[in-house]
Amino acid sequence: MDREFNRRDFVTGTVLASAAMALGAQASAQPPKPPATQNTLPKGKIRDLEVSRVLLGGNLLTHFTHSRDLKYVYSLAQHYNTDEKILETMATAEANGINTLSIHNPPHAMQLLKRYRKEGGKIQYIICPTAPVEPGMAKYTEEVLQLVDLGADAIYLWGVRADALTSAKQIDLIGKAVDVAKAQGVPSGVGGHELDVVVACEKNKIPADFYIKTLHHHNYPSAKLNYDSMWCKNPEETIEFMKTVEKPWIAFKTMAAGAIPPRDAIQYVFQNGADFALLGMFDYEIAEDVKIAKEVLSGIKERARPWRA
């Protein structure tokens, strides 16, 4: 026999449902453990460090989305990529065969990397310090030591710093930055948005172990805006010069911050000489992008630039 659904029933049911939801949320807040069996991706070597051909980019994890003038997207990324979601994203990357993350070093993000390793994560970290690079190298050295102590597997000079130092013709400081990381026994690279960075390093025989250099084409509408919308000004010149470079090359900004579809971007950078592709991905994009990368890599039979890693 049906009984009357009264106010007390409603309150009791609501309280119980709320409690159940809270318990469920608490349980789901635990970051997933990377599975024991993982998909595989082709790999290359940077010195003795074995790196998957696709790396997980760090900008979305630090909420730096390069969303042109759409300021709300920064907040949206921040609300989506909570601490637990960032840990889940790294686990998802590992499960799909991505064994390396590249990121800069905001303090909170570094604590999450430390926590991820403590909770069983194995993904490798290639990190760029953002400390100033200046005579004496005191602040930069301090950050490098901190990052190596945290567990960084490789260090590279932040592209923003390298661009500025090259423009100021302070190539000697780029060399000193490379030497600081080398002294700690980890692979030491140089990043750059400008091709001049790599040209200057090669000309001056800077002993970098690898380069992280932007590469994307300009066949997307916002490329012409010149408003936080282009990161490789001269892709054709970059492709041609990198043919002469024998060091491993990690291409970044490959999708122009989401403006270029993954298959188009991945095909472009691998066919045109990059040894690795750094992809900024939300967790739900990883499996599909890895699938695309495997298809692209398996379809490339020859390239003008040999694999350098």
Side-chain angles (χ1 to χ4, degrees):
M1 181 177 180
D2 292 338
R3 64 183 179 84
E4 182 181 357
F5 187 80
N6 58 31
R7 183 174 179 273
R8 180 176 295 178
D9 295 325
F10 174 78
V11 172
T12 302
T14 301
V15 170
L16 289 173
S18 298
M21 288 175 64
L23 288 172
Q26 184 176 8
S28 65
Q30 300 302 317
K33 301 292 183 184
T37 57
Q38 301 175 338
N39 291 330
T40 58
L41 263 169
K43 298 180 180 66
K45 279 192 172 182
I46 298 176
R47 247 170 58 184
D48 293 329
L49 188 67
E50 194 172 53
V51 178
S52 52
R53 293 286 181 201
V54 171
L55 293 83
L56 178 64
N59 271 4
L60 292 181
L61 304 185
T62 57
H63 313 135
F64 197 72
T65 56
H66 282 298
S67 52
R68 287 74 170 180
D69 58 343
L70 302 176
K71 301 303 183 185
Y72 76 91
V73 177
Y74 288 85
S75 179
L76 181 63
Q78 184 177 15
H79 280 77
Y80 181 80
N81 269 335
T82 62
D83 288 359
E84 304 304 330
K85 178 57 73 173
I86 290 171
L87 296 171
E88 182 183 345
T89 299
M90 289 191 283
T92 300
E94 280 201 69
N96 283 276
I98 297 174
N99 76 346
T100 305
L101 162 72
S102 179
I103 194 169
H104 69 290
N105 67 325
H108 185 67
M110 296 302 97
Q111 289 306 308
L112 283 177
L113 298 193
K114 186 175 181 180
R115 176 183 165 187
Y116 185 70
R117 285 269 179 89
K118 184 177 180 181
E119 294 180 358
K122 303 297 183 184
I123 200 166
Q124 298 172 148
Y125 303 146
I126 298 179
I127 308 178
C128 61
T130 52
V133 179
E134 53 198 5
M137 303 297 290
K139 293 179 181 178
Y140 190 82
T141 300
E142 181 182 1
E143 279 197 8
V144 169
L145 293 175
Q146 289 172 354
L147 293 174
V148 172
D149 184 59
L150 179 141
D153 299 281
I155 299 288
Y156 73 98
L157 176 62
W158 189 28
V160 172
R161 296 278 182 248
D163 291 342
L165 291 170
T166 301
S167 179
K169 302 189 183 308
Q170 293 179 299
I171 312 304
D172 60 318
L173 289 179
I174 295 179
K176 289 179 180 179
V178 168
D179 289 341
V180 167
K182 277 183 172 288
Q184 301 308 310
V186 297
S188 180
V190 174
H193 305 81
E194 302 294 338
L195 179 58
D196 289 347
V197 172
V198 183
V199 173
C201 286
E202 291 291 293
K203 180 180 178 180
N204 290 275
K205 302 189 185 306
I206 301 299
D209 294 310
F210 62 98
Y211 293 112
I212 296 189
K213 168 67 181 76
T214 52
L215 181 64
H216 61 73
H217 60 65
H218 294 171
N219 188 25
Y220 59 98
S222 60
K224 301 174 179 64
L225 291 180
N226 195 28
Y227 187 89
D228 195 26
S229 58
M230 183 189 293
W231 298 270
C232 185
K233 297 176 182 176
N234 47 0
E236 292 80 11
E237 291 90 336
T238 296
I239 291 164
E240 286 303 310
F241 184 79
M242 293 305 290
K243 290 177 184 177
T244 71
V245 176
E246 297 183 0
K247 296 171 182 175
W249 172 22
I250 301 172
F252 78 109
K253 289 291 186 287
T254 54
M255 293 185 281
I260 302 172
R263 185 175 296 276
D264 186 0
I266 293 168
Q267 181 74 49
Y268 185 80
V269 298
F270 280 130
Q271 188 64 62
N272 286 298
D275 298 294
F276 306 93
L278 179 57
L279 306 181
M281 296 173 285
F282 288 107
D283 60 321
Y284 56 85
E285 298 174 307
I286 291 172
E288 180 63 20
D289 287 356
V290 167
K291 178 176 178 289
I292 290 170
K294 288 180 179 180
E295 293 170 357
V296 167
L297 287 164
S298 66
I300 294 176
K301 304 307 178 186
E302 57 182 57
R303 322 188 309 166
R305 182 180 190 260
W307 295 99
R308 299 298 188 184

